[in-house]
Amino acid sequence: MSYIKPLSKLIDELTALPGIGSKSAARLAFHILKIPKEKAYAIANAITDAKEKVFCCSICKNLTDTEPCSICSSEKRDRSVICVVESPKDVVAIEKTREFNGLYHVLHGAISPIDKIGPDDIFIKELVQRITPEIKEVIAATNLTIEGEATAMYISRLLSPLGVNVTRIANGIPVGGDLEYADEITLSKALDNRRKIL
Amino acid sequence: MSYIKPLSKLIDELTALPGIGSKSAARLAFHILKIPKEKAYAIANAITDAKEKVFCCSICKNLTDTEPCSICSSEKRDRSVICVVESPKDVVAIEKTREFNGLYHVLHGAISPIDKIGPDDIFIKELVQRITPEIKEVIAATNLTIEGEATAMYISRLLSPLGVNVTRIANGIPVGGDLEYADEITLSKALDNRRKIL
């Protein structure tokens, strides 16, 4: 005998989520059976609600529940800079720094020949279409991985001929980082990119 | 700026689940936004379905979607033994051993004065009501914790005067266990409960 059907169905659905094994799924399922009905329904509603209300902004492709998104429609943002990132999570991470006041463009991925993801599989064409004489700079803020670097390089080669200044976020030792534990490539890049102390 | 509302609501709901922090909740939420609509709805449906269809069996208090549950209504089970456990998960664990063919009684907890859980807060009264001359043995298979032991002791004192043979599952070193790493109490109980090698 294993679990009764509605319970095993719930466990199966939860096991399919990333980072949740069968043991955690069972624990979550029992938790859901234990909590008040309204709370369990709130979880189910939050899932369907998110699926129904969240979509990609037609301009920047960031996740949004308004069209265009709050950043694209804001009058306070600097419309001459576009920060290109791989995922919507990166937008939240950059917004948290409060350092950037321009617009975004979310690629929803990076070029990765191994995973058969080419330039046409992510929103690069849509980025090119956004380039107007108004745009002065495009910051390639893709991840500092091989795929992110390749994507940044691709974007740079594509946009530079259009007269856009394409920049890349800095490589180096993280704040609080220990040189002893930094990998060789990071350390050599940090040396390469050294700057004068004012 | 943080996440848009439907997304942050979903993250909040997921964070409230046990063992899921805000980072995993965000990862799960983004995963849910990424998968096809039908799959996300399947998760939501599994939650509401489980809430609607699963209830406690009126006899043994195990989780069930039929009344009485499949074990209580089975004609193949030995009706002279009741195995008392703390939670429905324990029933599944014991059923997996295929060693036990009697009935169950799920207490949904254990006596724990510290958490203000007394005998009346768990299904002990319902267990007493099930005791008929037909019942020969009650196996107290509550956990081997202080609360589980106290509950087993309480049940034993309550049922023994009714002429029921109350037994307790064995304490000892687990199969494959190393004496070197066993805690002192387990080791001393394992010594106490030693038996003759046939």
Side-chain angles (χ1 to χ4, degrees), chain A residues 30 32-33 35 41 51-52, chain B residues 32-33 35 41 51-52:
Chain A
F30 276 105
I32 288 170
L33 287 180
I35 56 179
Y41 278 59
K51 264 327 239 194
E52 272 165 22
Chain B
I32 288 170
L33 287 180
I35 56 178
Y41 278 57
K51 265 325 240 195
E52 272 165 21

Side-chain angles (χ1 to χ4, degrees), chain B residues 58-115:
Chain B
S58 65
I59 302 172
C60 72
K61 306 300 174 192
N62 190 12
L63 295 176
T64 179
D65 54 350
T66 56
E67 171 59 30
C69 76
S70 59
I71 293 177
C72 285
S73 59
S74 166
E75 302 212 336
K76 288 181 189 151
R77 314 282 308 202
D78 177 358
R79 304 196 155 263
S80 68
V81 196
I82 296 179
C83 180
V84 181
V85 295
E86 289 183 24
S87 89
K89 283 180 220 176
D90 302 332
V91 173
V92 177
I94 293 176
E95 283 295 286
K96 273 186 186 155
T97 68
R98 296 169 189 271
E99 274 293 314
F100 180 71
N101 194 38
L103 303 175
Y104 288 96
H105 189 85
V106 182
L107 296 173
H108 286 269
I111 296 171
S112 171
I114 266 187
D115 302 314

Side-chain angles (χ1 to χ4, degrees), chain A residues 50-70:
Chain A
K51 264 327 239 194
E52 272 165 22
K53 293 186 186 158
V54 178
F55 52 93
C56 284
C57 169
S58 65
I59 303 172
C60 73
K61 308 299 175 192
N62 191 11
L63 295 177
T64 179
D65 54 349
T66 56
E67 171 59 30
C69 76
S70 59

Side-chain angles (χ1 to χ4, degrees), chain B:
Chain B
M1 174 217 166
S2 71
Y3 297 108
I4 44 168
K5 230 180 166 191
L7 188 54
S8 67
K9 173 95 181 101
L10 177 56
I11 293 173
D12 287 349
E13 291 292 346
L14 294 174
T15 309
L17 293 173
I20 296 187
S22 59
K23 288 250 170 181
S24 346
R27 203 182 58 225
L28 288 175
F30 277 104
H31 173 85
I32 288 170
L33 287 180
K34 218 180 234 174
I35 56 178
K37 221 169 189 177
E38 312 82 62
K39 285 204 176 174
Y41 278 57
I43 303 172
N45 283 340
I47 293 173
T48 50
D49 242 41
K51 265 325 240 195
E52 272 165 21
K53 293 186 185 158
V54 178
F55 53 92
C56 284
C57 168
S58 65
I59 302 172
C60 72
K61 306 300 174 192
N62 190 12
L63 295 176
T64 179
D65 54 350
T66 56
E67 171 59 30
C69 76
S70 59
I71 293 177
C72 285
S73 59
S74 166
E75 302 212 336
K76 288 181 189 151
R77 314 282 308 202
D78 177 358
R79 304 196 155 263
S80 68
V81 196
I82 296 179
C83 180
V84 181
V85 295
E86 289 183 24
S87 89
K89 283 180 220 176
D90 302 332
V91 173
V92 177
I94 293 176
E95 283 295 286
K96 273 186 186 155
T97 68
R98 296 169 189 271
E99 274 293 314
F100 180 71
N101 194 38
L103 303 175
Y104 288 96
H105 189 85
V106 182
L107 296 173
H108 286 269
I111 296 171
S112 171
I114 266 187
D115 302 314
K116 292 188 181 160
I117 301 175
D120 295 338
D121 299 317
I122 57 180
F123 291 118
I124 286 186
K125 204 168 58 222
E126 289 75 5
L127 171 64
V128 179
Q129 287 163 356
R130 290 179 68 186
I131 303 303
T132 58
E134 200 191 357
I135 309 289
K136 298 282 174 279
E137 183 180 359
V138 166
I139 305 172
T142 50
N143 291 335
L144 280 304
T145 56
I146 295 173
E147 293 81 12
E149 292 285 5
T151 310
M153 187 63 75
Y154 185 88
I155 290 171
S156 165
R157 293 205 180 157
L158 206 62
L159 301 188
S160 296
L162 303 178
V164 187
N165 193 11
V166 182
T167 57
R168 181 85 176 109
I169 51 168
N171 238 177
I173 313 286
V175 175
D178 205 321
L179 254 66
E180 192 181 341
Y181 300 115
D183 64 290
E184 292 159 42
I185 303 171
T186 300
L187 196 50
S188 74
K189 290 214 175 181
L191 281 171
D192 270 356
N193 298 331
R194 67 189 180 278
R195 19 172 239 156
K196 207 178 165 192
I197 301 170
L198 295 179

Side-chain angles (χ1 to χ4, degrees), chain A:
Chain A
M1 175 214 165
S2 70
Y3 298 108
I4 44 168
K5 229 177 167 193
L7 188 54
S8 66
K9 174 98 182 97
L10 177 56
I11 293 175
D12 286 350
E13 291 293 345
L14 294 174
T15 309
L17 294 172
I20 295 188
S22 59
K23 288 252 171 181
S24 346
R27 203 182 55 227
L28 288 175
F30 276 105
H31 173 85
I32 288 170
L33 287 180
K34 218 181 234 173
I35 56 179
K37 223 170 188 175
E38 312 81 62
K39 285 205 175 172
Y41 278 59
I43 302 172
N45 283 340
I47 292 173
T48 49
D49 242 41
K51 264 327 239 194
E52 272 165 22
K53 293 186 186 158
V54 178
F55 52 93
C56 284
C57 169
S58 65
I59 303 172
C60 73
K61 308 299 175 192
N62 191 11
L63 295 177
T64 179
D65 54 349
T66 56
E67 171 59 30
C69 76
S70 59
I71 294 178
C72 285
S73 58
S74 166
E75 302 211 335
K76 287 179 190 153
R77 313 285 305 205
D78 177 358
R79 304 195 154 265
S80 67
V81 197
I82 296 179
C83 180
V84 181
V85 294
E86 290 184 23
S87 90
K89 282 180 219 177
D90 302 331
V91 173
V92 177
I94 294 175
E95 284 295 286
K96 273 186 187 157
T97 68
R98 294 169 190 272
E99 273 294 314
F100 180 71
N101 195 36
L103 303 175
Y104 287 96
H105 189 83
V106 182
L107 297 173
H108 287 269
I111 296 170
S112 170
I114 265 189
D115 302 315
K116 294 189 179 158
I117 301 176
D120 296 337
D121 300 317
I122 57 179
F123 292 117
I124 286 185
K125 204 168 59 224
E126 288 76 4
L127 171 63
V128 179
Q129 286 163 357
R130 289 179 68 186
I131 303 302
T132 58
E134 199 191 357
I135 309 290
K136 298 282 174 278
E137 183 181 358
V138 166
I139 305 173
T142 49
N143 290 335
L144 279 306
T145 55
I146 295 173
E147 293 80 14
E149 292 285 4
T151 311
M153 187 63 73
Y154 185 89
I155 290 171
S156 166
R157 293 206 179 153
L158 206 64
L159 301 187
S160 296
L162 304 176
V164 187
N165 194 10
V166 182
T167 57
R168 181 84 176 109
I169 51 167
N171 239 178
I173 313 283
V175 175
D178 205 320
L179 255 64
E180 193 181 340
Y181 301 114
D183 64 291
E184 292 158 42
I185 304 172
T186 300
L187 195 51
S188 74
K189 289 214 176 183
L191 280 169
D192 270 356
N193 299 330
R194 67 189 180 277
R195 14 171 244 157
K196 207 178 166 196
I197 301 169
L198 298 177

